[in-house]
Each structure stands twice: as structure tokens, then as C-alpha cells.
């Protein structure tokens, strides 16, 4: 039995997967990490990039990622205050995982669009999948 933070893992065969998913679980954490791969980003820029997230949820997800040691929060003593987020070394180590999730998701969306088009003669994806496709794909 292994304990990390407040979570205890039984260290069965799937334990490492469970531990990883606990760090990046939820709808937004993986997307936030993706946007931080190439840049240090301010809060409002993240909010713009994640247009469907509420300010409260973005704040909560950022705090959890920071508490888990995946991102660094830098506060500058300016008026108005400036806050920037970047990946820590631990967060950077997730880069191959995040990029592979992007690649797999991109292939999945393309396959689903093609399948829906072949079955119905027209694309009839769910609204959630349709919003995720690049312009012109739905």
C-alpha cells in the first residue's frame, strides 16, 4: 500500500495509471497542461483559450495543479497584479502523455466524423464532438 498526499494506492497492476489519472483527471486539467506546454500564460489568456470554462473552475483547476506540483504560479507585485502560470519540471515530464492524448483525440474525432458521414450520408455528430472538430470538419 502506498500513500501519496491524501490518496492511498493499493499498488495493484493498474496503480500507476490510477495515480497518473488522479493528477490530470477532470475535463480541464489536461487541456490546461496542453496550453502550458509551449508557453508561460497569464490567467486571462488561459480563460480566453478555454472559452467554456468558468472563472471559478479555472481557478480551482489551477490551484489543484499547483498543489500537485505540476504548474508554477508566479505573482508579480504590480498594479493590477499580474499572475503567470508555467509548467514545473514534474509538469513538463507529462508532455509526452499530453501530446499523445492530443494525437489520439485528433485521430478519434476524425474517425468518428468519417464513420458518422458513412453511416448517415451526412455528418451527425453529438454537439460535444462537433465543437471539438476543427473548422470545416463537422
Amino acid at each position: 500500500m502506498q500513500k501519496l498526499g491524501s490518496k492511498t494506492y493499493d499498488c495493484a497492476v493498474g496503480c500507476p495509471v490510477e495515480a497518473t489519472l488522479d493528477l490530470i483527471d477532470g475535463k480541464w486539467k489536461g487541456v490546461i497542461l496542453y496550453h502550458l506546454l509551449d508557453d508561460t500564460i497569464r490567467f486571462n489568456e488561459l480563460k480566453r483559450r478555454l472559452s467554456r470554462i468558468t472563472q471559478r473552475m479555472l481557478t480551482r483547476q489551477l490551484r489543484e495543479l499547483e498543489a500537485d506540483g505540476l504548474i508554477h504560479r508566479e505573482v508579480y507585485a504590480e498594479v493590477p497584479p499580474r499572475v503567470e502560470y508555467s509548467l514545473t519540471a514534474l509538469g513538463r515530464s507529462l508532455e509526452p502523455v499530453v501530446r499523445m492524448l492530443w494525437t489520439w483525440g485528433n485521430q478519434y474525432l476524425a474517425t468518428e466524423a468519417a464513420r458518422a458521414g458513412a453511416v448517415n450520408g451526412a455528418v451527425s455528430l453529438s454537439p460535444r464532438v462537433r465543437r471539438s472538430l476543427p473548422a470545416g470538419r463537422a
Side-chain angles (χ1 to χ4, degrees):
M1 188 97 32
Q2 189 171 11
K3 187 171 176 117
L4 296 174
S6 63
K7 179 85 175 178
T8 302
Y9 298 96
D10 64 5
C11 290
V13 176
C15 181
V17 174
E18 180 184 2
T20 304
L21 290 175
D22 279 346
L23 289 174
I24 61 171
D25 70 336
K27 182 175 181 178
W28 299 107
K29 286 183 183 178
V31 180
I32 291 168
L33 292 171
Y34 174 78
H35 285 288
L36 290 173
L37 287 177
D38 299 321
D39 243 343
T40 294
I41 303 177
R42 293 176 70 173
F43 181 89
N44 285 331
E45 177 60 23
L46 270 172
K47 178 75 174 85
R48 276 190 290 279
R49 291 183 185 192
L50 305 166
S51 61
R52 295 187 319 261
I53 193 170
T54 64
Q55 183 166 335
R56 179 178 179 207
M57 179 57 73
L58 179 56
T59 299
R60 179 187 302 164
Q61 298 291 276
L62 289 168
R63 284 181 183 160
E64 289 176 13
L65 288 166
E66 183 183 13
D68 290 334
L70 298 177
I71 65 170
H72 172 73
R73 179 178 185 257
E74 184 75 32
V75 181
Y76 295 90
E78 300 174 355
V79 177
R82 177 172 52 124
V83 180
E84 293 181 341
Y85 295 91
S86 59
L87 292 176
T88 62
L90 182 62
R92 178 79 42 210
S93 71
L94 280 169
E95 182 171 356
V97 175
V98 173
R99 291 204 186 276
M100 186 52 97
L101 285 170
W102 182 91
T103 301
W104 188 91
N106 196 38
Q107 293 170 349
Y108 169 76
L109 291 172
T111 301
E112 285 298 297
R115 184 185 63 76
V119 169
N120 300 329
V123 176
S124 59
L125 300 172
S126 72
R128 180 176 55 84
V129 172
R130 195 176 310 115
R131 281 193 307 267
S132 301
L133 289 173
R137 295 295 298 263

